[in-house]
Amino acid sequence: MAKRILIVDDSDSIRNVVGIALRGEGYEVIEAKDGVDGLSKLDGSKFHLIISDVNMPNMDGISMVKELKAQSEYRFTPVIMLTTETEDGKKQQGKEAGVKAWMVKPFQPQQMIDAVSKLILA
């Protein structure tokens, strides 16, 4: 059974690039366009990892992480922030919310695959 990853980003092109890279590695990918949409995809089923942008309309990534970590089913689900944000204050907010890794755009797909494989244990 393929490991499931939720990608949350308001950029269609970023979701496509990340999705193509991860599907190529055998992961099942679910996509969402913002934090509200991302939370709506969390239907109690297992997600092995969540990759999210920080800056999105409707609900930003850090707020989404706080809400999903409050749900017992997703408390231990690892989250990677994939963002243009480099500010230490934002990174600290993410860490306090429960973010496990912070990747800055632009990125190389192999970097993403390497980070994902470290956070999703076989």
Side-chain angles (χ1 to χ4, degrees):
M1 182 128 184
K3 307 255 188 225
R4 296 178 78 210
I5 299 176
L6 176 63
I7 302 171
V8 186
D9 200 305
D10 57 322
S11 166
D12 291 341
S13 60
I14 292 293
R15 287 196 316 269
N16 285 334
V17 168
V18 174
I20 288 167
L22 294 176
R23 285 182 187 103
E25 295 295 311
Y27 295 106
E28 178 185 347
V29 176
I30 311 298
E31 297 181 15
K33 64 184 181 333
D34 59 40
V36 173
D37 190 28
L39 289 173
S40 76
K41 307 286 186 191
L42 301 177
D43 57 3
S45 60
K46 174 76 174 167
F47 280 90
H48 296 86
L49 179 76
I50 296 169
I51 299 170
S52 178
D53 190 6
V54 171
N55 299 311
M56 297 178 289
N58 301 315
M59 180 185 285
D60 68 88
I62 292 173
S63 297
M64 182 194 73
V65 170
K66 287 178 183 174
E67 288 203 25
L68 75 91
K69 292 293 185 177
Q71 299 178 37
S72 60
E73 306 98 312
Y74 303 107
R75 184 174 300 132
F76 300 110
T77 303
V79 178
I80 296 174
M81 283 300 190
L82 178 62
T83 180
T84 57
E85 287 285 347
T86 58
E87 180 190 324
D88 287 340
K90 280 283 187 199
K91 290 179 184 178
Q92 186 59 36
Q93 287 177 350
K95 186 175 183 181
E96 289 168 4
V99 172
K100 291 289 182 212
W102 195 277
M103 291 188 69
V104 177
K105 297 174 188 172
F107 68 100
Q108 294 298 319
Q110 190 59 50
Q111 284 178 291
M112 174 62 63
I113 291 164
D114 291 346
V116 166
S117 65
K118 286 177 184 157
L119 290 172
I120 294 183
L121 303 175

